[in-house]
Amino acid sequence: MVKKDDGAKSRAHPETEVVHLGRAPFDNHGFVNPPVYRGSTVLFPTLERIRSREQPYTYGRRATPTTQALEKAISELEGGAMTILTSSGLAAVTTAFLAFVQAGDHVLITDSVYQPTRAFADRLLTRIGVEAQYYDPTIGAGISALIRPNTSVIFVESPGSQTFEMQDIPAIAEVARAHDIWLLADNTWASPLFCQPLKLGADVSIQAATKYIVGHADAMLGAVTVTSDAARYIDRAKEALGTCPGSEETFLGLRGLRTLDVRLARHQSSALDIAQWLAARPEVARVIHPALGSHPGHAIWKRDFSGSSGLFAVVLNAIDDTKLAAFLDGLKYFGMGYSWGGYESLVIPFDPTSYRTATRWQAEGPALRFHIGLENVDDLKADIADGFARMKSA
Ligand SMILES: *Cc1c(COP(=O)(O)O)cnc(C)c1O
C-alpha cells in the first residue's frame, strides 16, 4: 500500500510518466531500474522500532520497495489515492468485491462482465449471502430502477468482455453516488493510458496487469486503484485476504510499464487498420470495435476514452465448423489462446449465449475475438486472408 505523493506536482504527459514513475535511480546507486526485493521477513533493529510501528517495511506480503514502486506508478496513471497489487487480475476483482460487500447485500454486475468474475459472483458471493444481479451493459442511468436498499456495489466493465458493449460510466456513477453505492470498474481493455474510471466517477479501477501492463504474456498480476474514500476498505481487504504478487511478477509489471505507451500506440493503429479491413471482407458479417463509427457505443468511447487497444471482435457470416477449423487451425501468426495484451497476435472463438442472463447474444455466424499484436500489419492481413482462402475451399 502506498499513498499518492502529497502536493500538486504538475503532471507530465502519460508517455513521459510511464517512463519515470516509480523510479528513484539515486536511491539505488544510480541504476536506472529499481532492484527486485525478494523477501518475507523484514528485520527490526530494536524493540523500540517494532513498537513504534514506524518502519516503512514490516513484512514481504504487506509491501516491498518493488511493489511500492509499481503501486505508486499505477496510482498516478489512474488518478487514484492508493493502489494494491494482487497475484492476478481475477484476484484484483475478487479482492475489490470482498472489500465492499457483506452478507445480505445485493450487487449489480454488467452482463458483459469477464466470465470468471461472473463465476466468482455466482459461486462464492452467493455462498456468503451476497446476491448478484446482472444488468444490460447499455442500461446507463436506467440502472436506478434496479437499485435496492441493500445494493452495495455496481460493477462495470467497459467495453465488455468479448462483446465490447460500451457503458455510460458517468451516468451510472451519478446513480451510484446518489445511493451511496460503491462503483467498481474493470479497466483492463483500455489500460490506465486510455481511460481513467475514477475521473468518470468510479470509486475503484481494476487492472488485469497480466494484459497490457506486463505486456509480454510472461506473468500474472493484478492492480486495484481506489479513491481516498475507498482506501481503507481495500487496504483492509488486502490484509485480510493475504493477496500479494510475486517479486518477479511485480518487476515484470514495472518493466512492461516503461513501454506501455509505445506498445499501445502500435496495438491501436494496427487493430484499427485490420478491423476496417475485416469490415470490408465478404466473409465478415460485422466487426465490433468501439473506435469504429459503426459501433453502437462509439459516442461513449469517444467521450470517455483517449484511445483504443488491440482487442476487438468479429462476427463471421454463417459457416460450419469444418470451415471455421480450416480458418483457425492453419494461422501462422495468430495463436489461439486465452488472455491477451502481450506483444503477439491472438484469436479465439467465443459464444456467450450459455452464461449471459440479462441480454441475448445474437450473431449471424461464429464470433472471433482478435488481439492484434506488434507484428507487421500486412503480414497479419495476409495470414487472415490465407485463412479465409482455406475456409472457402474446406
Ligand atoms: C484477463 C482479465 C481479467 C483477469 O486477469 P488474470 O490476470 O487473467 O486473472 C479480469 N478482467 C478482464 C477484463 C480480463 O480481460
Side-chain angles (χ1 to χ4, degrees):
M1 197 253 318
V2 63
K3 298 262 182 203
K4 197 168 92 173
D5 278 352
D6 290 329
K9 247 185 312 149
S10 72
R11 298 211 41 187
H13 293 93
E15 56 269 44
T16 305
E17 292 202 316
V18 296
V19 169
H20 287 279
L21 287 173
R23 287 199 299 120
F26 291 102
D27 293 350
N28 299 302
H29 311 287
F31 283 91
V32 168
N33 289 297
V36 181
Y37 282 82
R38 296 179 183 83
S40 50
T41 299
V42 180
L43 302 179
F44 299 81
T46 61
L47 175 64
E48 188 279 328
R49 190 71 173 264
I50 290 186
R51 296 212 169 131
S52 72
R53 296 176 173 274
E54 277 168 7
Q55 186 158 299
Y57 303 102
T58 55
Y59 191 45
R61 189 182 64 226
R62 179 131 185 90
T64 70
T66 314
T67 58
Q68 281 201 335
L70 184 56
E71 287 171 352
K72 188 173 159 137
I74 294 175
S75 281
E76 289 282 336
L77 294 170
E78 292 270 8
M82 187 190 107
T83 293
I84 62 154
L85 297 178
T86 57
S87 55
S88 71
L90 186 58
V93 168
T94 60
T95 303
F97 262 110
L98 291 171
F100 299 107
V101 296
Q102 58 186 13
D105 281 357
H106 167 249
V107 298
L108 288 165
I109 302 175
T110 177
D111 207 28
S112 56
V113 80
Y114 178 63
Q115 204 275 338
T117 299
R118 179 187 286 264
F120 160 77
D122 292 345
R123 291 179 198 156
L124 196 140
L125 284 186
T126 48
R127 208 149 55 76
I128 61 171
V130 176
E131 184 189 350
Q133 182 184 352
Y134 297 92
Y135 63 88
D136 181 336
T138 63
I139 198 167
I143 200 155
S144 62
L146 303 181
I147 306 295
R148 301 181 195 167
N150 60 338
T151 306
S152 58
V153 163
I154 300 174
F155 194 94
V156 298
E157 184 183 324
S158 184
S161 267
Q162 299 183 322
T163 46
F164 299 91
E165 297 89 345
M166 292 303 300
Q167 293 200 255
D168 192 339
I169 297 176
I172 293 173
E174 208 179 309
V175 175
R177 201 173 310 115
H179 292 89
D180 262 334
I181 294 167
W182 298 105
L183 180 58
L184 279 49
D186 188 328
N187 191 34
T188 301
W189 180 84
S191 94
L193 288 191
F194 289 159
C195 181
Q196 294 93 35
L198 303 189
K199 290 181 188 152
L200 301 176
D203 301 289
V204 177
S205 177
I206 294 160
Q207 282 292 330
T210 304
K211 309 288 169 54
Y212 282 125
I213 292 178
V214 166
H216 295 71
D218 52 6
M220 306 294 302
L221 192 66
V224 186
T225 305
V226 294
T227 60
S228 51
D229 286 348
R232 70 194 164 94
Y233 294 87
I234 202 73
D235 190 36
R236 253 191 237 150
K238 178 199 155 88
E239 275 305 283
L241 292 166
T243 176
C244 63
S247 318
E248 216 62 48
E249 284 72 13
T250 306
F251 172 75
L252 290 170
L254 277 165
R255 164 178 278 214
L257 189 71
R258 305 304 172 205
T259 57
L260 181 61
D261 182 78
V262 285
R263 284 186 288 108
L264 275 181
R266 176 71 159 265
H267 286 298
Q268 168 166 246
S269 63
S270 296
L272 274 170
D273 185 343
I274 291 178
Q276 277 156 346
W277 175 79
L278 281 167
R281 292 284 310 198
E283 298 86 353
V284 171
R286 70 197 145 97
V287 174
I288 311 173
H289 189 311
L292 295 189
S294 58
H295 191 287
H298 179 66
I300 292 177
W301 172 80
K302 216 166 160 175
R303 183 192 66 191
D304 295 344
F305 289 62
S306 57
S308 59
S309 61
L311 196 74
F312 64 93
V314 162
V315 178
L316 299 176
N317 289 315
I319 44 163
D320 62 26
D321 260 2
T322 310
K323 285 187 179 297
L324 182 62
F327 173 78
L328 290 172
D329 293 354
L331 291 169
K332 199 156 89 185
Y333 300 123
F334 285 87
M336 263 192 287
Y338 295 103
S339 201
W340 45 273
Y343 51 79
E344 82 288 13
S345 289
L346 296 165
V347 64
I348 199 89
F350 70 89
D351 180 4
T353 42
S354 66
Y355 54 83
R356 296 242 171 140
T357 51
T359 53
R360 262 185 60 209
W361 168 247
Q362 283 171 308
E364 298 83 340
L368 301 173
R369 186 187 69 188
F370 281 94
H371 179 252
I372 304 303
L374 305 179
E375 301 93 334
N376 176 283
V377 81
D378 293 326
D379 290 340
L380 295 178
K381 283 182 194 169
D383 197 19
I384 298 172
D386 288 349
F388 284 147
R390 282 191 307 275
M391 195 168 101
K392 198 168 175 184
S393 57

